Amino acid sequence: MPRPRTRLLDRERIVAAALAELEVNGQLTMSAVSRRLSVHVSSLYEHVRDRAELVDLIREVVTSGLDEDLSEVPAGAGWREPLEQWLVSYRAAFARHPRAIGLLTTEPIRSHRAARGYDRVLGLLARAGVSPQEAMATLTALECFVLGSALDAAAPDAMVEVDDDDARGPLGEALRAEPSPERRADHAFTTGLRLLLDGLAASAPASSSS
Amino acid sequence: MPRPRTRLLDRERIVAAALAELEVNGQLTMSAVSRRLSVHVSSLYEHVRDRAELVDLIREVVTSGLDEDLSEVPAGAGWREPLEQWLVSYRAAFARHPRAIGLLTTEPIRSHRAARGYDRVLGLLARAGVSPQEAMATLTALECFVLGSALDAAAPDAMVEVDDDDARGPLGEALRAEPSPERRADHAFTTGLRLLLDGLAASAPASSSS
DNA sequence: ACCTGAACACCGTTCAAGT
DNA sequence: ACCTGAACACCGTTCAAGT
């Protein structure tokens, strides 16, 4: 029975099914999405140009609501707190859909929404004393850390696995001093974030951070 | 003519073809590798258990020679220089095969060679004043930045793309202040590396870095 | 031991056909 | 407009067959 009178598909439902599929199986195939929706594969192409466009839609859902936090930064406020907040919510957005990260980080970001977000972050960096020549490099470095951390959060356990032999060395010791696997990635992110912001503060004009 | 007397395949040649295929087409398929070697697909399985094992072999080739630099760090030396060198060569190893990064960062590292390398890096962090409780988190944070930067190096242009509208804002200005696309990613990596090491130095015991 | 070729269960995508 | 079903060119992997 082609074309039932009650609409079976729309982009929203397809994206939701795609995210569910990523969460459960860790990979995105059009066939799996269609099975999840009890629909033939080819029906998806009525709503979505191709797999790449579906990935674009997923990216938008994952990163939506990322910059609203930034829009309300008071002009007189310091740079460290709002910058930290942005980085935290940036990573959290990706960490909410960990197995989608690999899919989303291969293509450059193109949305106007994102561009305005970057505008504001660059303002914060200027307040921290970052020169215009280093602004983009600093912003990119922060993003590299955030995305690397999001990827790390997607990994089930640590980036390293040791056997009994290796466990006797300093690495084994350090691994045993780690908190529970659930907090492992969070701990690493918090630590790196502090290092980066401390590094920024070290070369910032005095008393500009509070 | 099955089984020619001159051996057509071995693991080394297969890995080389796989890396070439990744460099040219950006993705790894057994079929493409076999075509590149003028051999039937199924012949590959005589030398390699499956695609996952081929990925493991690629990982070994890419990361080989990463820790030799570390083995010769004098006991009395400072922490900052050798740590920086390790991070630089770590990223360089992945950046040499940029399109392979996505393939290599999904699985945890398991080799003994890598474990001994981490042992030495943890020693450097201890010298920098990092507590045992924070050692693994700090190491992971550094790795997150390195891998994020390697992924960034794989991206042809910047992580953001702007149209004429967005180009008028601070983002457009910052993008225009950037160096050539070839040095863009290197600049970001150097900048972030400095921030992280400055951050470590900020909480390190005085005069321990030189 | 090492390679071929057919086979199987999967992909993404297109297109004619139905309502 | 929206969905089906067949079709095509691709995957990864297995296996019997050849030398």
mmCIF file of all heavy atoms in Angstrom, chain B residues 3 7-8 40 42-43 47, chain C residues 1-7:
data_model
loop_
_atom_site.group_PDB
_atom_site.id
_atom_site.type_symbol
_atom_site.label_atom_id
_atom_site.label_comp_id
_atom_site.label_asym_id
_atom_site.label_seq_id
_atom_site.Cartn_x
_atom_site.Cartn_y
_atom_site.Cartn_z
ATOM 1 N N ARG B 3 48.107 -18.672 -7.875
ATOM 2 C CA ARG B 3 49.438 -18.864 -7.312
ATOM 3 C C ARG B 3 50.579 -18.755 -8.308
ATOM 4 O O ARG B 3 51.153 -19.745 -8.762
ATOM 5 C CB ARG B 3 49.529 -20.227 -6.618
ATOM 6 C CG ARG B 3 50.879 -20.319 -5.986
ATOM 7 C CD ARG B 3 50.996 -21.371 -4.972
ATOM 8 N NE ARG B 3 52.337 -21.257 -4.423
ATOM 9 C CZ ARG B 3 52.915 -22.161 -3.698
ATOM 10 N NH1 ARG B 3 52.265 -23.233 -3.395
ATOM 11 N NH2 ARG B 3 54.099 -21.983 -3.232
ATOM 12 N N ARG B 7 55.822 -14.358 -5.486
ATOM 13 C CA ARG B 7 54.897 -13.875 -4.473
ATOM 14 C C ARG B 7 54.348 -12.475 -4.821
ATOM 15 O O ARG B 7 55.118 -11.545 -5.034
ATOM 16 C CB ARG B 7 55.678 -13.783 -3.174
ATOM 17 C CG ARG B 7 54.899 -13.936 -1.915
ATOM 18 C CD ARG B 7 55.925 -13.918 -0.771
ATOM 19 N NE ARG B 7 55.527 -14.715 0.364
ATOM 20 C CZ ARG B 7 54.710 -14.273 1.312
ATOM 21 N NH1 ARG B 7 54.209 -13.063 1.242
ATOM 22 N NH2 ARG B 7 54.396 -15.051 2.320
ATOM 23 N N LEU B 8 53.071 -12.336 -4.844
ATOM 24 C CA LEU B 8 52.484 -11.040 -5.180
ATOM 25 C C LEU B 8 52.254 -10.167 -3.954
ATOM 26 O O LEU B 8 52.396 -8.957 -4.014
ATOM 27 C CB LEU B 8 51.144 -11.256 -5.902
ATOM 28 C CG LEU B 8 51.199 -11.838 -7.306
ATOM 29 C CD1 LEU B 8 49.799 -12.024 -7.852
ATOM 30 C CD2 LEU B 8 52.010 -10.953 -8.231
ATOM 31 N N HIS B 40 42.954 -10.065 -6.736
ATOM 32 C CA HIS B 40 41.562 -10.230 -6.364
ATOM 33 C C HIS B 40 41.362 -9.906 -4.879
ATOM 34 O O HIS B 40 42.235 -10.148 -4.070
ATOM 35 C CB HIS B 40 41.106 -11.654 -6.658
ATOM 36 C CG HIS B 40 39.619 -11.754 -6.813
ATOM 37 N ND1 HIS B 40 38.957 -12.865 -7.215
ATOM 38 C CD2 HIS B 40 38.651 -10.834 -6.606
ATOM 39 C CE1 HIS B 40 37.675 -12.644 -7.256
ATOM 40 N NE2 HIS B 40 37.468 -11.421 -6.874
ATOM 41 N N SER B 42 39.709 -11.242 -2.498
ATOM 42 C CA SER B 42 39.767 -12.350 -1.547
ATOM 43 C C SER B 42 41.209 -12.754 -1.226
ATOM 44 O O SER B 42 41.465 -13.337 -0.181
ATOM 45 C CB SER B 42 38.997 -13.542 -2.088
ATOM 46 O OG SER B 42 39.436 -13.858 -3.382
ATOM 47 N N SER B 43 42.158 -12.422 -2.097
ATOM 48 C CA SER B 43 43.558 -12.759 -1.832
ATOM 49 C C SER B 43 44.084 -12.040 -0.598
ATOM 50 O O SER B 43 44.963 -12.541 0.104
ATOM 51 C CB SER B 43 44.415 -12.381 -3.045
ATOM 52 O OG SER B 43 43.857 -12.907 -4.217
ATOM 53 N N HIS B 47 46.439 -12.896 3.981
ATOM 54 C CA HIS B 47 47.520 -12.246 4.726
ATOM 55 C C HIS B 47 47.018 -11.449 5.914
ATOM 56 O O HIS B 47 47.785 -11.085 6.797
ATOM 57 C CB HIS B 47 48.288 -11.312 3.789
ATOM 58 C CG HIS B 47 48.868 -12.008 2.605
ATOM 59 N ND1 HIS B 47 50.145 -12.500 2.576
ATOM 60 C CD2 HIS B 47 48.322 -12.333 1.405
ATOM 61 C CE1 HIS B 47 50.379 -13.086 1.415
ATOM 62 N NE2 HIS B 47 49.284 -12.990 0.685
ATOM 63 P P DA C 1 50.493 -24.135 4.797
ATOM 64 O OP1 DA C 1 51.332 -24.516 5.873
ATOM 65 O OP2 DA C 1 49.056 -24.030 4.873
ATOM 66 O "O5'" DA C 1 51.032 -22.860 4.015
ATOM 67 C "C5'" DA C 1 52.397 -22.597 3.857
ATOM 68 C "C4'" DA C 1 52.584 -21.781 2.607
ATOM 69 O "O4'" DA C 1 52.016 -22.502 1.487
ATOM 70 C "C3'" DA C 1 51.893 -20.420 2.615
ATOM 71 O "O3'" DA C 1 52.713 -19.498 1.930
ATOM 72 C "C2'" DA C 1 50.582 -20.676 1.876
ATOM 73 C "C1'" DA C 1 50.995 -21.746 0.875
ATOM 74 N N9 DA C 1 49.918 -22.695 0.555
ATOM 75 C C8 DA C 1 49.114 -23.355 1.430
ATOM 76 N N7 DA C 1 48.243 -24.160 0.858
ATOM 77 C C5 DA C 1 48.496 -24.011 -0.488
ATOM 78 C C6 DA C 1 47.911 -24.602 -1.630
ATOM 79 N N6 DA C 1 46.919 -25.495 -1.569
ATOM 80 N N1 DA C 1 48.397 -24.241 -2.825
ATOM 81 C C2 DA C 1 49.397 -23.354 -2.862
ATOM 82 N N3 DA C 1 50.037 -22.739 -1.861
ATOM 83 C C4 DA C 1 49.525 -23.117 -0.692
ATOM 84 P P DC C 2 52.335 -17.986 1.778
ATOM 85 O OP1 DC C 2 53.553 -17.207 1.509
ATOM 86 O OP2 DC C 2 51.463 -17.652 2.921
ATOM 87 O "O5'" DC C 2 51.459 -17.973 0.458
ATOM 88 C "C5'" DC C 2 52.106 -17.881 -0.803
ATOM 89 C "C4'" DC C 2 51.051 -17.774 -1.881
ATOM 90 O "O4'" DC C 2 50.174 -18.908 -1.803
ATOM 91 C "C3'" DC C 2 50.145 -16.532 -1.775
ATOM 92 O "O3'" DC C 2 50.202 -15.851 -3.006
ATOM 93 C "C2'" DC C 2 48.765 -17.098 -1.493
ATOM 94 C "C1'" DC C 2 48.883 -18.477 -2.137
ATOM 95 N N1 DC C 2 47.938 -19.522 -1.659
ATOM 96 C C2 DC C 2 47.225 -20.276 -2.587
ATOM 97 O O2 DC C 2 47.388 -20.063 -3.787
ATOM 98 N N3 DC C 2 46.350 -21.226 -2.145
ATOM 99 C C4 DC C 2 46.204 -21.429 -0.845
ATOM 100 N N4 DC C 2 45.351 -22.381 -0.452
ATOM 101 C C5 DC C 2 46.930 -20.674 0.130
ATOM 102 C C6 DC C 2 47.785 -19.735 -0.317
ATOM 103 P P DC C 3 49.708 -14.350 -3.082
ATOM 104 O OP1 DC C 3 50.759 -13.539 -3.729
ATOM 105 O OP2 DC C 3 49.168 -13.968 -1.768
ATOM 106 O "O5'" DC C 3 48.497 -14.478 -4.106
ATOM 107 C "C5'" DC C 3 48.760 -14.868 -5.452
ATOM 108 C "C4'" DC C 3 47.522 -15.473 -6.058
ATOM 109 O "O4'" DC C 3 47.103 -16.587 -5.255
ATOM 110 C "C3'" DC C 3 46.307 -14.542 -6.137
ATOM 111 O "O3'" DC C 3 46.136 -14.067 -7.475
ATOM 112 C "C2'" DC C 3 45.127 -15.411 -5.689
ATOM 113 C "C1'" DC C 3 45.735 -16.799 -5.513
ATOM 114 N N1 DC C 3 45.151 -17.533 -4.357
ATOM 115 C C2 DC C 3 44.259 -18.575 -4.606
ATOM 116 O O2 DC C 3 43.975 -18.863 -5.776
ATOM 117 N N3 DC C 3 43.723 -19.246 -3.554
ATOM 118 C C4 DC C 3 44.053 -18.894 -2.311
ATOM 119 N N4 DC C 3 43.499 -19.599 -1.310
ATOM 120 C C5 DC C 3 44.958 -17.842 -2.031
ATOM 121 C C6 DC C 3 45.480 -17.189 -3.085
ATOM 122 P P DT C 4 44.759 -13.287 -7.829
ATOM 123 O OP1 DT C 4 45.056 -12.490 -9.028
ATOM 124 O OP2 DT C 4 44.221 -12.640 -6.620
ATOM 125 O "O5'" DT C 4 43.776 -14.478 -8.229
ATOM 126 C "C5'" DT C 4 44.071 -15.288 -9.350
ATOM 127 C "C4'" DT C 4 42.883 -16.198 -9.673
ATOM 128 O "O4'" DT C 4 42.578 -16.999 -8.506
ATOM 129 C "C3'" DT C 4 41.588 -15.450 -10.032
ATOM 130 O "O3'" DT C 4 41.071 -16.006 -11.222
ATOM 131 C "C2'" DT C 4 40.673 -15.681 -8.831
ATOM 132 C "C1'" DT C 4 41.192 -16.999 -8.271
ATOM 133 N N1 DT C 4 41.020 -17.171 -6.797
ATOM 134 C C2 DT C 4 40.235 -18.202 -6.333
ATOM 135 O O2 DT C 4 39.641 -18.971 -7.050
ATOM 136 N N3 DT C 4 40.166 -18.278 -4.967
ATOM 137 C C4 DT C 4 40.796 -17.451 -4.039
ATOM 138 O O4 DT C 4 40.664 -17.625 -2.842
ATOM 139 C C5 DT C 4 41.602 -16.398 -4.601
ATOM 140 C C7 DT C 4 42.335 -15.434 -3.703
ATOM 141 C C6 DT C 4 41.678 -16.306 -5.937
ATOM 142 P P DG C 5 40.031 -15.169 -12.127
ATOM 143 O OP1 DG C 5 40.198 -15.602 -13.522
ATOM 144 O OP2 DG C 5 40.166 -13.745 -11.764
ATOM 145 O "O5'" DG C 5 38.624 -15.712 -11.600
ATOM 146 C "C5'" DG C 5 38.370 -17.117 -11.639
ATOM 147 C "C4'" DG C 5 37.066 -17.437 -10.944
ATOM 148 O "O4'" DG C 5 37.275 -17.507 -9.511
ATOM 149 C "C3'" DG C 5 35.951 -16.412 -11.165
ATOM 150 O "O3'" DG C 5 34.735 -17.137 -11.372
ATOM 151 C "C2'" DG C 5 35.923 -15.631 -9.855
ATOM 152 C "C1'" DG C 5 36.275 -16.730 -8.867
ATOM 153 N N9 DG C 5 36.811 -16.287 -7.588
ATOM 154 C C8 DG C 5 37.598 -15.183 -7.357
ATOM 155 N N7 DG C 5 37.941 -15.036 -6.098
ATOM 156 C C5 DG C 5 37.333 -16.120 -5.455
ATOM 157 C C6 DG C 5 37.343 -16.490 -4.094
ATOM 158 O O6 DG C 5 37.901 -15.930 -3.154
ATOM 159 N N1 DG C 5 36.595 -17.657 -3.870
ATOM 160 C C2 DG C 5 35.939 -18.362 -4.847
ATOM 161 N N2 DG C 5 35.279 -19.442 -4.445
ATOM 162 N N3 DG C 5 35.924 -18.015 -6.126
ATOM 163 C C4 DG C 5 36.638 -16.894 -6.360
ATOM 164 P P DA C 6 33.456 -16.420 -11.962
ATOM 165 O OP1 DA C 6 33.348 -16.852 -13.361
ATOM 166 O OP2 DA C 6 33.494 -14.973 -11.649
ATOM 167 O "O5'" DA C 6 32.286 -17.097 -11.113
ATOM 168 C "C5'" DA C 6 32.429 -18.455 -10.700
ATOM 169 C "C4'" DA C 6 31.731 -18.679 -9.370
ATOM 170 O "O4'" DA C 6 32.561 -18.182 -8.282
ATOM 171 C "C3'" DA C 6 30.381 -17.980 -9.241
ATOM 172 O "O3'" DA C 6 29.433 -18.895 -8.698
ATOM 173 C "C2'" DA C 6 30.666 -16.830 -8.267
ATOM 174 C "C1'" DA C 6 31.730 -17.470 -7.380
ATOM 175 N N9 DA C 6 32.570 -16.519 -6.652
ATOM 176 C C8 DA C 6 33.241 -15.438 -7.161
ATOM 177 N N7 DA C 6 33.921 -14.754 -6.264
ATOM 178 C C5 DA C 6 33.668 -15.428 -5.082
ATOM 179 C C6 DA C 6 34.098 -15.204 -3.760
ATOM 180 N N6 DA C 6 34.893 -14.206 -3.399
ATOM 181 N N1 DA C 6 33.670 -16.068 -2.806
ATOM 182 C C2 DA C 6 32.858 -17.078 -3.168
ATOM 183 N N3 DA C 6 32.394 -17.391 -4.384
ATOM 184 C C4 DA C 6 32.838 -16.510 -5.297
ATOM 185 P P DA C 7 27.858 -18.527 -8.656
ATOM 186 O OP1 DA C 7 27.127 -19.749 -9.054
ATOM 187 O OP2 DA C 7 27.662 -17.256 -9.394
ATOM 188 O "O5'" DA C 7 27.600 -18.245 -7.107
ATOM 189 C "C5'" DA C 7 28.106 -19.173 -6.149
ATOM 190 C "C4'" DA C 7 28.008 -18.549 -4.768
ATOM 191 O "O4'" DA C 7 29.114 -17.633 -4.581
ATOM 192 C "C3'" DA C 7 26.729 -17.731 -4.543
ATOM 193 O "O3'" DA C 7 25.909 -18.377 -3.576
ATOM 194 C "C2'" DA C 7 27.228 -16.376 -4.019
ATOM 195 C "C1'" DA C 7 28.690 -16.609 -3.704
ATOM 196 N N9 DA C 7 29.541 -15.444 -3.947
ATOM 197 C C8 DA C 7 29.694 -14.752 -5.120
ATOM 198 N N7 DA C 7 30.530 -13.744 -5.035
ATOM 199 C C5 DA C 7 30.946 -13.769 -3.711
ATOM 200 C C6 DA C 7 31.827 -12.967 -2.970
ATOM 201 N N6 DA C 7 32.481 -11.924 -3.501
ATOM 202 N N1 DA C 7 32.014 -13.266 -1.655
ATOM 203 C C2 DA C 7 31.350 -14.307 -1.137
ATOM 204 N N3 DA C 7 30.502 -15.152 -1.737
ATOM 205 C C4 DA C 7 30.346 -14.816 -3.024
#
